Amino acid sequence: MRQNNKIHSLEKLAEVLEPLRARKRIVHCHGVFDLLHIGHIRYFDQAKKMGDILVVTITPDRYVNKGPHRPGSGLRELRCRK
């Protein structure tokens, strides 16, 4: 499945995925991913091999407390990466 608009609210994500659940294996990765690095990429690659569709969700900045000036990249910057 190729979606042009890959960024959804949780409600919209559930709506998009529901018809696919019967015929596709959906893999879900969740995290902060504020400093995206090779470990994250490997994690996504391995997860994708476990199913047909990879869904990545990101913890909102307001719930992240990793110390001063963290998260390093805010949710807005991460959403711009495609």
Side-chain angles (χ1 to χ4, degrees):
M1 173 178 110
R2 277 287 223 223
Q3 290 270 153
N4 288 335
N5 182 4
K6 296 182 181 184
I7 300 171
H8 300 293
S9 67
L10 288 178
E11 293 79 14
K12 179 65 176 177
L13 179 62
E15 181 184 314
V16 168
L17 294 176
E18 185 58 36
L20 301 171
R21 292 179 69 177
R23 63 184 194 279
K24 299 285 186 179
R25 180 174 290 222
I26 300 168
V27 179
H28 180 205
C29 295
H30 179 82
V32 176
F33 311 122
D34 62 327
L35 298 172
L36 195 62
H37 56 74
I38 191 65
H40 294 130
I41 303 304
R42 290 179 181 145
Y43 173 60
F44 298 145
D45 284 342
Q46 290 298 313
K48 178 63 174 115
K49 291 175 185 175
M50 299 175 81
D52 303 306
I53 298 170
L54 176 62
V55 174
V56 177
T57 56
I58 301 170
T59 301
D61 296 345
R62 67 183 175 271
Y63 298 111
V64 178
N65 182 8
K66 289 189 169 185
H69 311 294
R70 296 281 305 273
S73 298
L75 186 57
R76 170 171 278 153
E77 290 84 5
L78 285 170
R79 289 174 60 138
C80 293
R81 297 176 190 167
K82 291 188 180 181

